[in-house]
Each structure stands twice: as C-alpha cells, then as structure tokens.
Amino acid sequence: MAIGLFILLLCYACFALFSKGNEAYHIIRILLELDWGFHPIAMMLMENPPEFGRHARRSYSDGNSQCSASGNGASSLRRLLASDYYSDVEVRGLISDLGSPSVESRRRAAMELRLLAKHSTENRLRIARAGAVVPLVALLSHPDPQLQEHGVTAILNLSLCDENKGPIAAAGAVRYLVRALRSGTPAARENAACALLRLAQLDDLRAVIGRSGAIPPLVALLETGGSRGKKDAATALFTLLAAKENKARAVEAGVVRPLLDLMADPESEMVDKAAYVLHRLLSEPEGRASAVEEGGVPVLVEMVEVGSQRQKEVAMLSLLEICEESAAYRKMVIREGAIPPLIALSQSSSKKTKDKAEALIELLRRPTTKLMDYSQQRTTRGCSALPVDGDALVRA
C-alpha cells in the first residue's frame, strides 16, 4: 500500500515537474516527510526545485534564493531515476564547476557530487581521484551557507572510504570542518561532526582534531542540537576521547553535565551513547571528579537498578572506575544504595559481567581497601566501543 502510494505521488511529481514546477516541489516535500528511504531523488528535487539537471539553464537571485529554470530538466530526472553513474568526463566537469565564479553553478556541482558519493563506493573513489577533495574543502569556509553545507556533506560522504581520509585531512579539512561545526547551518553542523568522526578513526588525527578546537562545539551540539545532532556529537566525542589529551579538553568544555542529563532521560534515546562517552572520561582523575561533582553517582546507581542489561553493565563499569581510588567516592556509592542492584546484576549476567560486579561489591564492602589485582584488570575490563555504522552516516 505504502509503495503504491509512493509510486503514485512520484508519477504525479514527475508530471508536475514538466508542467508546474511548484507543485512538484510540494509533492516531493510530502515524499520526504513520509521518510520511506527514497531520499536521493527527493532530496535532489527538494534542494533545487523545480529542476536540477547539471545542464539546465537558470537565472538565480542570491538575495532571495529563488530559482527560475528552463531547459532539459526532464532528461536529468530520467537519468537520475535510471542511474547515479556519471562518466569520468562528467565528474571532472562537475569538479571544474566548483571553481566557477557563479555561486549557483558551484552549488549545483557540489550538490551533484555529494549525491553521487552518497551510495557508491566506486563513485567516492572516482570523485576523490579526479581531484575533488581540495576544491570541496575550499567550500567549507565559503560564506554562502548552502554552498558550505553541500561541501561539508560531500566531504562526509567521500570520507566513508578509508582511502580518502588521508587526502581529506592533508587538504586541511579539519580546521574548516571545526569552523562549520561552530557556525554552520544545523545540517552542516551535524554533518561536520560526522566527518570529523570519520577522520578521527585515523589514530594520528584524534589529537590533531582535539587541538583544532573540535571538542567545545561538539559539546555544544550534544547539549543543544536536534536528535540526530546529539547522536552525531556523542559518537564523535566517543571516538576523539580515545586520545588521552582530549579527555581533559572535554571535561573543561563541560561535557559531563549534558551527558548525565541524557543518561537520566530515557526519552532522549541517548542513554546508552551518553553512558559510553562518560565511561571513557572516567579513566582520568578529572573525569571522575567532574562526574561526582555533577551528581553522576545517583544517575549511575539508578541505571544499575532499572536500566537495560547493557546500561546496567556500563553503569557498573563506570562505578568501578569511580570507586577504585577513592574511599570517599565509595561511601557515596554505598549511601546511594548500590549494593542490592549490584548483587542482582552479579546473579543474572554473563561470567565476565558477574566477575566485575562482584569485584565492585567487594570493593564497596571494604571501602578503605583497594582490590590488590584491580590495576591488572584495568586494561581488559573496558566496555565495547560505540557501534559506528559508516553507511548510516551518509548524508544526501
């Protein structure tokens, strides 16, 4: 039923595209809002109504962002419906258009490149090898918000290929992505966070990204962004915090408070992600101190008591970090009533989780004594990494 309705609306949109462009625009908005996964077509029509072909003739007003178009948009639509493949000559033409004096031409070229790179690994490699990285990075600092957004998203989609990460970083993308993360459109901020996440998967870039000032705007996105923006920020922070020096930066930027707020709010759908980011901070003294000062102990104890199995486990690991070196913190955890839910967890978990829960219980029962072998467990007890689905980060 849903597919049939989609096809009917799409057919009507195609008819309207060739006769009444404004109607096409509104129909495509409906298709996008239904969110059936047909974003490549819908987004292209949405972002460049009512025609989007590279060779369409346009007049454009920078002042009010209104397009009036004429030309062979019909052939462009047929081509998009049939395939997302462009020849090498056409790809080079799009890259050449990125340097056009016309903002409209640059927008169109950047948009088509980002869409070409959305689903196809082959296209991502071809676009990068054809020399698109440097001119796309140049767009990241462009004053036109839409052009910057296209550039950020194209860089994100290209970064999904590991082979492209080095060239993107070498082109100076990090500092411009950080700038977009601070002051870009909402979509540009989210996609800049994802692009930085992809680059941070290169070990030698995590500290570089932190030193470039990415942590504070990621914390701001975590605190004030939309649902997707918060998830993007949390995943990026988790990856960046693998570098020790970034942990102090994150604490200084005030990351602990928004993490605890998300952990205490099941409706945020961010409890797991926020808990994993917080756990990564707790390996450093400043992270533990901040978590306690911001009221993290009650939040963690409640998670052990009423959270999902995964949440109980990561909360228990976090309490273990907090308690290991501080008798005062151990007394706080005891006062919050942690021992009964920890006993329950130790009786209903895997052997690995059971052993760690029992170790924490033993530690709490002897609040002035360290576990003699605990330091040897530190390197093997860490929680699993946040799942990062590269394809899920692709942005139309």
Side-chain angles (χ1 to χ4, degrees):
M1 181 69 178
I3 298 299
L5 179 58
F6 174 84
I7 293 172
L8 180 63
L9 288 170
L10 181 60
C11 290
Y12 181 76
C14 293
F15 170 78
L17 181 68
F18 309 139
S19 55
K20 301 175 182 178
N22 290 333
E23 291 184 17
Y25 178 73
H26 294 300
I27 293 296
I28 297 304
R29 284 194 68 90
I30 294 172
L31 298 180
L32 259 182
E33 289 168 1
L34 291 175
D35 195 21
W36 285 331
F38 295 89
H39 286 194
I41 296 171
M43 283 298 294
M44 184 167 273
L45 288 171
M46 275 287 294
E47 292 181 342
N48 220 349
E51 294 176 343
F52 51 82
R54 175 172 175 245
H55 304 294
R57 298 185 301 277
R58 298 175 182 274
S59 62
Y60 182 81
S61 169
D62 286 329
N64 56 21
S65 298
Q66 296 296 317
C67 294
S68 61
S70 63
N72 61 348
S75 63
S76 297
L77 176 60
R78 286 193 297 270
R79 178 180 180 188
L80 180 63
L81 291 171
S83 172
D84 65 354
Y85 182 83
Y86 279 39
S87 70
D88 290 343
V89 172
E90 288 171 310
V91 169
R92 288 194 294 271
L94 290 172
I95 294 170
S96 177
D97 287 348
L98 293 176
S100 169
S102 165
V103 172
E104 177 202 356
S105 296
R106 296 169 81 176
R107 282 179 181 167
R108 193 184 316 124
M111 183 187 69
E112 293 198 39
L113 287 168
R114 78 183 248 189
L115 289 169
L116 281 173
K118 182 180 180 185
H119 291 301
S120 169
T121 299
E122 179 186 357
N123 281 345
R124 293 169 196 150
L125 293 171
R126 288 196 308 124
I127 291 168
R129 290 168 182 166
V133 170
V134 170
L136 283 172
V137 168
L139 299 184
L140 303 185
S141 59
H142 198 279
D144 179 78
Q146 190 177 26
L147 189 52
Q148 182 192 62
E149 183 180 316
H150 288 324
V152 168
T153 311
I155 288 294
L156 165 60
N157 290 347
L158 291 180
S159 72
L160 295 172
C161 280
D162 289 342
E163 298 92 326
N164 291 341
K165 293 176 185 175
I168 289 171
V174 169
R175 65 190 181 105
Y176 294 117
L177 287 169
V178 171
R179 184 182 301 177
L181 183 61
R182 287 198 191 103
S183 58
T185 66
R189 293 176 68 204
E190 293 171 357
N191 294 350
C194 284
L196 289 168
L197 161 64
R198 297 298 303 182
L199 297 180
Q201 290 169 354
L202 298 178
D203 293 345
D204 58 342
L205 283 181
R206 290 172 190 154
V208 172
I209 293 170
R211 288 195 293 267
S212 297
I215 302 292
L218 283 172
V219 173
L221 184 61
L222 181 72
E223 194 165 13
T224 64
S227 175
R228 190 174 77 174
K230 290 180 178 181
K231 291 176 182 177
D232 293 338
T235 310
L237 283 166
F238 182 85
T239 305
L240 290 172
L241 292 178
K244 182 176 179 177
E245 65 184 77
N246 286 337
K247 295 177 183 179
R249 294 188 180 103
V251 172
E252 185 177 352
V255 72
V256 171
R257 182 69 264 162
L259 288 174
L260 291 173
D261 289 342
L262 292 168
M263 290 165 60
D265 180 15
E267 293 185 2
S268 70
E269 299 182 351
M270 287 281 296
V271 176
D272 293 49
K273 284 183 180 289
Y276 276 88
V277 177
L278 180 69
H279 178 267
R280 184 154 272 188
L281 284 171
L282 297 178
S283 62
E284 297 301 318
E286 58 264 46
R288 296 191 290 273
S290 181
V292 173
E293 290 167 7
E294 293 287 349
V297 169
V299 174
L300 290 167
V301 172
E302 185 176 4
M303 281 183 65
V304 175
E305 188 171 7
V306 301
S308 67
Q309 184 67 20
R310 185 176 183 182
Q311 291 163 9
K312 290 178 179 180
E313 291 174 359
V314 68
M316 177 268 296
L317 290 171
S318 294
L319 289 172
L320 196 54
E321 287 279 9
I322 288 171
C323 291
E324 193 268 328
E325 293 180 354
S326 171
Y329 292 167
R330 292 197 287 273
K331 291 176 182 178
M332 291 177 64
V333 172
I334 293 169
R335 285 198 300 268
E336 289 297 329
I339 291 180
L342 285 170
I343 292 173
L345 181 62
S346 71
Q347 294 173 348
S348 62
S349 303
S350 66
K351 184 180 184 304
K352 184 177 179 181
T353 301
K354 176 182 178 180
D355 290 345
K356 293 172 184 176
E358 289 178 348
L360 179 54
I361 293 167
E362 174 71 14
L363 192 61
L364 293 174
R365 284 175 171 167
R366 295 185 293 151
T368 60
T369 306
K370 292 185 182 180
L371 247 59
M372 296 302 293
D373 62 344
Y374 180 75
S375 62
Q376 297 174 359
Q377 300 174 22
R378 180 180 291 274
T379 59
T380 60
R381 68 158 193 265
C383 56
S384 302
L386 278 173
V388 179
D389 181 353
D391 290 335
L393 300 179
V394 176
R395 300 294 156 85

